[in-house]
Amino acid sequence: MVLGIESSCDETGAGIVRDGRLLAHVVASSMDEHARFGGVVPEIAARAHLHAIDAVAVTTGPGLSGALQVGLAGAKTLAYAAGVPLYGVHHLAGHVAADTLEHGPLPEPCVVLIVSGGHTSLLLVRDLVREPILHLGDTRDDAAGECFDKVARILGLPYPGGPAIDRAARDGDPKAVVFPRPLTRPGDDPYAFSFSGLKTAAARWVEQHRLRGEEPPVADGAAALQEAVADVLTRKALAACRAYDVKTLVVVGGVAANSRVRALAERRCASAGIELRVPPMTLCTDNGAMIAAVGDLLVRSGAEPAQLDVTVDPSAPLEYASLTPLPAGQPRSPGMTCRP
């Protein structure tokens, strides 16, 4: 059995996985403490993690440094006390592995679309814990979830912005406002993302209404924004599937819980003859079960565990599912990587 601990941002998650099967998972969220600030405050997040871990695979990056440190310290203590191995896990690989807890092993290969508050990436994944992960494209600026959060704040909607936009959009007309679809013109990078311009376009639309002394129609704005984001995400993901002759698309991360992203992905995948896999809503946002799922795969693959002096890497690139940054000051010898 593998215990997974996730503490990269504002949720403290713990999960237990054995042989690819989820046995239990719980999440303690500090979201309410951040809501009055309109976003995550790193020091508040770190203190909340410290209180939530009461008592082993653990997130060692990327994420907020203080938050990661709390989770790693707790995981080291448990591993040392129980005399069991400790595995460092890349946060984004955890999101990918979350789908296996619902749908079983990932097909080899598959295209994975990761969409969250801090990340938007298209990946080509073969064996998640044995082979390098190929980045087809990443966001150049704001992630999709970050765009939702920032526009929600402009519209006067509560934090977190993604669920608020989704709720408001139910009563809106997605065709009422024509927002841009960034990086979708001929000649643009087919797999890169950029949501900063979309955020700015939404802000200007709100500003124009208020300069006229009017309040913007929030529901229409939310629906149009959500449609633009879902269109770009699914259009590029399907293009990657066709280009690499892949028959399975996996959509993971917090924004995978968005109703329009799910619906449009389902429709476009069905038309293209591509299988769509999306984890349950409870496994889309940050949780310990997804980290335990990677730990379980690493144990079964015979991967080497981390040492107890392993450190965090707040800006770690996603190369391998196993992430065991070296202790401070220790040089990395030629050929050493973060692979298991």
Side-chain angles (χ1 to χ4, degrees):
M1 290 190 292
V2 177
L3 168 68
I5 296 174
E6 155 59 29
S7 70
S8 65
C9 194
D10 60 339
E11 275 119 4
T12 309
I16 299 175
V17 171
R18 179 175 59 196
D19 295 330
R21 187 165 64 93
L22 177 62
L23 302 183
H25 86 104
V26 292
V27 174
S29 176
S30 60
M31 193 175 294
D32 290 345
E33 297 177 55
H34 302 288
R36 59 196 178 105
F37 299 102
V40 176
V41 180
E43 287 306 313
I44 292 177
R47 288 197 297 271
H49 289 304
L50 189 60
H51 294 149
I53 293 178
D54 59 6
V56 167
V58 62
T59 304
T60 48
L64 301 173
S65 179
L68 291 166
Q69 294 280 9
V70 173
L72 180 57
K76 285 181 178 180
T77 302
L78 290 169
Y80 179 77
V84 296
L86 174 70
Y87 291 87
V89 172
H90 196 289
H91 174 75
L92 297 183
H95 277 300
V96 179
D99 182 73
T100 68
L101 298 175
E102 178 71 12
H103 300 117
L106 293 171
E108 297 182 27
C110 60
V111 168
V112 177
L113 173 65
I114 297 180
V115 273
S116 67
H119 305 275
T120 303
S121 299
L122 263 178
L123 312 172
L124 184 65
V125 176
R126 295 181 176 90
D127 187 308
L128 181 62
V129 299
R130 289 186 175 92
E131 296 189 38
I133 296 165
L134 176 61
H135 282 249
L136 304 179
D138 298 282
T139 186
R140 295 179 177 177
D141 40 59
D142 289 357
E146 186 178 1
C147 178
F148 279 151
D149 283 341
K150 290 179 177 178
V151 175
R153 188 169 185 174
I154 294 167
L155 289 170
L157 296 173
Y159 175 85
I165 290 283
D166 204 349
R167 288 190 298 269
R170 295 171 191 164
D171 300 320
D173 178 4
K175 298 180 180 179
V177 190
V178 181
F179 284 135
R181 270 56 170 172
L183 295 182
T184 56
R185 296 173 299 182
D188 288 340
D189 187 326
Y191 310 129
F193 300 94
S194 170
F195 292 104
S196 179
L198 177 57
K199 172 197 68 182
T200 301
R204 287 177 177 166
W205 174 77
V206 171
E207 181 183 33
Q208 289 168 0
H209 278 81
R210 289 176 178 161
L211 286 174
R212 296 195 298 265
E214 307 168 355
E215 279 301 306
V218 172
D220 287 347
L225 176 76
Q226 184 171 261
E227 188 69 21
V229 171
D231 181 22
V232 171
L233 292 174
T234 56
R235 191 188 305 190
K236 288 177 175 281
L238 268 291
C241 290
R242 288 190 293 268
Y244 287 86
D245 194 26
V246 170
K247 299 303 181 184
T248 302
L249 171 65
V250 183
V251 183
V252 299
V255 179
N258 179 272
S259 63
R260 185 53 183 158
V261 170
R262 283 178 174 247
L264 193 54
E266 287 173 2
R267 193 184 82 197
R268 288 181 168 174
C269 282
S271 297
I274 293 171
E275 179 192 11
L276 175 66
R277 292 176 38 156
V278 186
M281 299 266 246
T282 55
L283 295 179
C284 286
T285 52
D286 294 352
N287 61 86
M290 69 187 198
I291 305 304
V294 178
D296 175 63
L297 291 171
L298 289 169
V299 169
R300 289 192 280 146
S301 73
E304 286 293 322
Q307 301 299 314
L308 286 178
D309 57 352
V310 65
T311 58
V312 301
D313 187 348
S315 57
L318 177 57
E319 298 173 331
Y320 294 91
S322 175
L323 179 63
T324 53
L326 294 172
Q330 183 174 335
R332 186 179 293 279
S333 61
M336 285 186 66
T337 70
C338 292
R339 70 183 303 166

